[in-house]
Amino acid sequence: MLYQLPLAPKYGELSNERLCAGIADFKRRLGSRLVILGHHYQQDDVIQFADFTGDSLKLSQLAAEHHEAEFIVFCGVHFMAETADILTHEKQTVILPDLSAGCSMADMAHIDQVEAGWPLLEERAEGPITPITYVNSSAAVKAFVGRHDGACCTSSNAKMVMERAAAGFLEEEPALKVVGLRYFNVFGPGEAHKGTVYDPRFPDGGLSAAQVRAAQVFLWKGHCSVHQLFTTRNVEAIRALPEPYAILVHPECEWAVCQGADRVGSTEYIIKTVREAPPGSFWAIGTEVNLVQRLARQHPDKHVRSLAGIQCLCTTMYRIDLKHLYWTLENLVGGRVVNRISVDPETRRWSRVALDRMLALRPAQPVSAR
Ligand code: 13P
Ligand code: SF4
């Protein structure tokens, strides 16, 4: 994880009103030179300044489409800003307002672990293997996947990508086995047994040669520290309430929670589902608290609550705040770039291969992960 140096004390002394007025003024002065992208988990204070909001797939597409903007300020986490840098023109500058805004899940697959484990896996698997990485991964891991004829996926298109990978991205070389570089609930109910968990903390991923030979899909062990907070007990507690709550969760929740839910999908899917739900309907949502609270505020005619009794906050997303956005834009107006996220050309080239495959397989509209 990168480290953000503390801002000068003067930024801490500015009121929210001053910060908001300043940001609005900097945005006006930068005009079309600037695009601000905001992930749905950003706090309301920040999201109000986003030109576009989205889930990680939509934001990747938006970054790729905005050729005109000289500066893309990414209000999200580090891997998202890296992805934006890979997908934009080299002349465009991508900025992350707080460098410490990382992702615990992305940190669970280090490129050194991936490179160390791969040769033995290939040797023992007795056939070609296609690597798939969840987009919550470093550019280095994405580049590895691109170099090995694999693809990235997001919560919006993970199932499509995995199915396509099983059929083979390269027609002349159909994949026999797939390595999903993240433990992630991409399969339909009852299909969890298809995955063999590869745990990088153990030699050979903790797998015997026979297990590797028998496996069809390897799942890299990792998880989202926020979504893991939702439990089957939460599901049972909601089911025990007298109100007819439907349970709607993000696929980063653990497998058993997804199994117990009524619907599973990306942040964009969650938003669409609540928006289209009839007035008076009841929703218990298993995802990051900023999004759940925003949905509750935006839909007062519906009953929206978190699936858990506790606040499931993505603390790294939360690092992007008004102060850091103000500081970033103030510097841009003054002709200085701070916190540039820049991926080296070789990594960029190969991670682009994996990302382009992800972008080619996108659903027409947000769909359930099941
Ligand atoms: P989405 O693709 O649904 O936005 O999820 C990204 C993420 O990191 C959620 O934790
Ligand atoms: Fe990463 Fe989880 Fe935060 Fe998403 S919610 S950015 S997966 S730590």
Side-chain angles (χ1 to χ4, degrees):
M1 191 172 95
L2 297 172
Y3 178 68
Q4 176 70 49
L5 287 171
L7 300 184
K10 68 170 185 171
Y11 294 99
E13 287 156 18
L14 295 173
S15 67
N16 273 11
E17 288 70 29
R18 286 278 306 278
L19 290 167
C20 286
I23 292 170
D25 179 48
F26 299 145
K27 272 193 79 172
R28 194 182 42 74
R29 283 155 73 178
L30 289 161
S32 61
R33 295 171 69 202
L34 169 74
V35 166
I36 300 182
L37 300 179
H39 187 268
H40 293 309
Y41 294 162
Q42 289 291 304
Q43 43 189 307
D44 280 2
D45 276 356
V46 170
I47 213 89
Q48 64 177 317
F49 293 109
D51 297 302
F52 300 96
T53 59
D55 63 6
S56 48
L57 180 64
K58 187 167 157 197
L59 292 174
S60 304
Q61 289 164 233
L62 285 164
E65 283 162 12
H66 280 276
H67 307 290
E68 77 293 350
E70 198 178 326
F71 307 114
I72 295 177
V73 172
F74 210 115
C75 296
V77 289
H78 186 262
F79 77 83
M80 296 180 184
E82 267 191 339
T83 303
D85 185 56
I86 294 160
L87 293 173
T88 48
H89 194 276
E90 277 162 46
K91 288 193 184 131
Q92 294 177 284
T93 299
V94 176
I95 293 166
L96 182 65
D98 185 323
L99 293 178
S100 309
C103 165
S104 59
M105 190 194 256
D107 291 342
M108 290 177 199
H110 194 277
I111 184 61
D112 293 348
Q113 295 172 313
V114 175
E115 283 180 342
W118 186 260
L120 197 69
L121 213 51
E122 271 203 315
E123 187 191 309
R124 291 190 175 166
E126 297 176 350
I129 309 183
T130 301
I132 306 295
T133 182
Y134 191 38
V135 76
N136 298 36
S137 53
S138 68
V141 170
K142 290 185 179 81
F144 175 93
V145 167
R147 248 185 249 115
H148 291 82
D149 298 321
C152 295
C153 69
T154 73
S155 54
S156 286
N157 69 356
K159 197 156 186 256
M160 287 170 88
V161 172
M162 292 296 273
E163 282 165 1
R164 185 61 202 276
F169 285 113
L170 302 176
E171 275 166 27
E172 69 279 14
E173 193 185 337
L176 294 182
K177 294 173 189 272
V178 176
V179 178
L181 290 177
R182 190 69 66 248
Y183 191 99
F184 185 68
N185 296 309
V186 287
F187 304 104
E191 290 182 291
H193 64 277
K194 285 189 182 171
T196 299
V197 176
Y198 179 97
D199 190 336
R201 293 170 304 171
F202 297 107
D204 305 340
L207 299 175
S208 67
Q211 282 174 308
V212 173
R213 257 195 315 280
Q216 276 308 110
V217 177
F218 302 95
L219 296 168
W220 187 275
K221 191 163 175 58
H223 62 268
C224 161
S225 44
V226 180
H227 288 88
Q228 290 294 301
L229 296 174
F230 297 102
T231 63
T232 50
R233 280 205 185 166
N234 298 145
V235 173
E236 285 157 17
I238 292 291
R239 297 285 186 219
L241 293 175
E243 298 89 358
Y245 274 100
I247 299 179
L248 170 60
V249 303
H250 194 278
E252 287 167 12
C253 290
E254 70 172 52
W255 173 252
V257 171
C258 292
Q259 288 287 87
D262 299 295
R263 301 194 193 189
V264 185
S266 74
T267 51
E268 202 71 17
Y269 173 79
I270 291 171
I271 292 167
K272 174 175 171 278
T273 303
V274 176
R275 194 175 50 225
E276 293 174 357
S281 53
F282 288 82
W283 295 94
I285 305 185
T287 199
E288 208 273 346
V289 66
N290 277 290
L291 176 54
V292 178
Q293 288 181 345
R294 186 173 310 126
L295 284 170
R297 274 194 297 276
Q298 288 172 344
H299 301 279
D301 58 329
K302 301 165 198 174
H303 306 271
V304 177
R305 55 157 291 166
S306 170
L307 173 60
I310 50 166
Q311 299 279 312
C312 294
L313 174 77
C314 179
T315 49
T316 47
M317 283 269 183
Y318 198 66
R319 287 176 190 269
I320 311 289
D321 58 8
L322 286 178
K323 287 196 288 288
H324 286 85
L325 186 57
Y326 180 102
W327 169 72
T328 305
L329 299 186
E330 180 190 50
N331 273 291
L332 284 183
V333 166
R336 294 173 301 276
V337 170
V338 291
N339 286 12
R340 180 171 188 176
I341 301 298
S342 182
V343 177
D344 70 84
E346 188 61 8
T347 307
R348 200 182 163 94
R349 176 175 162 221
W350 287 109
S351 47
R352 178 86 208 215
V353 172
L355 283 167
D356 281 348
R357 288 201 174 121
M358 171 185 96
L359 292 171
L361 289 172
R362 55 188 187 215
Q365 55 172 327
V367 291
S368 160
R370 279 193 174 155

